[in-house]
Amino acid sequence: MAENYPDRLVFQVSNEEVTLPEAETDKIIFEFSGKQYLKYIGWKQKVEKRIAIQELETGKRFFDGEKLSQNKL
């Protein structure tokens, strides 16, 4: 299990810890193709739709369970 480093960003990769140098702890950059981006957007929209449906059915916000007002519903 990865230890807690307050000034470093630490990832657990398989059984190996990867610690980023302090100068790089405030950024992570991902590169992916346009096709991968479109797949991500489609996935995100499906997830958002499922969350919205669940919130409408339960009357509660998904991420914290707080009851939604009638205006928000």
Side-chain angles (χ1 to χ4, degrees), residues 24-55:
E24 297 180 15
T25 59
D26 63 344
K27 61 184 172 185
I28 297 176
I29 298 172
F30 294 95
E31 291 185 14
F32 44 89
S33 70
K35 186 176 180 178
Q36 289 171 318
Y37 178 73
L38 292 176
K39 285 182 179 182
Y40 162 74
I41 293 298
W43 170 83
K44 183 179 175 207
Q45 289 173 341
K46 286 178 187 178
V47 169
E48 289 172 345
K49 182 178 178 179
R50 288 174 38 200
I51 289 171
I53 290 169
Q54 181 177 341
E55 288 179 341

Side-chain angles (χ1 to χ4, degrees), residues 47-66:
V47 169
E48 289 172 345
K49 182 178 178 179
R50 288 174 38 200
I51 289 171
I53 290 169
Q54 181 177 341
E55 288 179 341
L56 287 171
E57 290 174 348
T58 64
K60 295 180 182 178
R61 219 168 25 198
F62 175 75
F63 64 90
D64 65 0
E66 185 177 317

